[in-house]
Amino acid sequence: MVAVVGVPSDENSSFMRGAALAPPRIREVLHSGAANLCAENGIDLAADSRWRDLGDLALAEGVEALDLIEVTFKSLIERGLRVLAMGGDHTITYPIIRACGSRYENLNVLHLDAHPDLYHVYEGNPFSHACPFARIMEEGLAARLVQYGIRALNPHQREQAARFQVEIHEAGDIGSATFKWSRENGSVVVEWLGQDGNVLTVSSAGRDENLGFANDDWVEITDDVREAQGLRGVLVRLANVDELEW
């Protein structure tokens, strides 16, 4: 069973509003007399009982709205329903993925967009529509995040993509190459030799001056067991890098 739920929320949009109005507009077009509910494969959705429109959520504002979205979607998902959200700015992705994580482990997320939505904080708002995937990846809610169509990444977004090992395929001309900003290409891999408190000792400082460790870099600490199980390592930030040798 597919459950369709309207999410009339756009308070976290930093530029233009309107996504909160989307659910009734989508239904208006869906049930317009200018069309019908027959799909290309011949299925008539008007007569198909495998989906149901549950209406719109009655949302307040602030964190309470995000909590209600998560609780509602979690309840539906735990009942075995496949839930399709209509409307809402990109912020609603965060509570919806949290709800999915309550039932499904090692989620793989495919994100189609022009923007990566990876800002740590945007205009003072950690729940901005520019931030949901930062929250999702911080909490380990997705084992893999693949983004297509991304354009104009700034330095902070590129740092966040590297930090969270996001696979980003950037937009470009037809036939041009895309790029994956992920652990699989461009990683600096060295052997972890030991630890004394917060001090880590590694076999080298990296490949060279350009592809080596530096202060404030994010690094992943892992081992053969975690790699064999397909698990992510522990992310830590380097406060200070000493005794560099190339």
Side-chain angles (χ1 to χ4, degrees), residues 10-87:
D10 59 12
E11 66 173 305
N12 289 293
S13 177
S14 63
F15 181 47
M16 298 180 67
R17 299 289 181 89
L21 303 175
R25 299 293 188 271
I26 294 173
R27 292 189 184 91
E28 181 180 343
V29 174
L30 184 64
H31 298 287
S32 168
N36 57 56
L37 292 178
C38 290
E40 293 298 320
N41 61 3
I43 293 178
D44 184 359
L45 294 177
D48 198 314
S49 60
R50 291 175 297 175
W51 75 288
R52 182 179 178 186
D53 187 343
L54 301 182
D56 296 347
L57 297 180
L59 298 175
E61 292 186 350
V63 177
E64 292 79 7
L66 301 182
D67 290 342
L68 180 58
I69 294 170
E70 179 182 350
V71 169
T72 301
F73 276 72
K74 181 178 179 180
S75 173
L76 295 173
I77 291 169
E78 289 181 345
R79 287 162 51 191
L81 300 176
R82 299 181 178 182
V83 189
L84 175 64
M86 296 193 301

Side-chain angles (χ1 to χ4, degrees), residues 202-216:
V202 294
S203 58
S204 78
R207 304 177 193 173
D208 53 40
E209 185 176 355
N210 295 315
L211 292 174
F213 298 120
N215 295 350
D216 294 325

Side-chain angles (χ1 to χ4, degrees), residues 104-152:
Y104 303 105
E105 296 181 354
N106 298 321
L107 287 175
N108 284 256
V109 179
L110 175 61
H111 177 208
L112 308 179
D113 198 352
H115 307 117
D117 298 345
L118 283 168
Y119 277 101
H120 179 63
V121 176
Y122 191 75
E123 296 185 347
N125 181 8
F127 299 113
S128 165
H129 67 154
C131 303
F133 283 108
R135 304 289 82 80
I136 288 167
M137 301 307 287
E138 282 174 351
E139 295 186 19
L141 300 175
R144 184 184 183 197
L145 172 58
V146 181
Q147 299 182 323
Y148 274 88
I150 307 302
R151 58 174 176 80

Side-chain angles (χ1 to χ4, degrees), residues 7 13 33 77 88 112 114 117 123 143 162-163 169 186 190 197 226 235:
V7 187
S13 177
I77 291 169
L112 308 179
D117 298 345
E123 296 185 347
R163 173 189 175 189
H169 297 260
V190 299
R226 298 184 68 85
L235 288 174

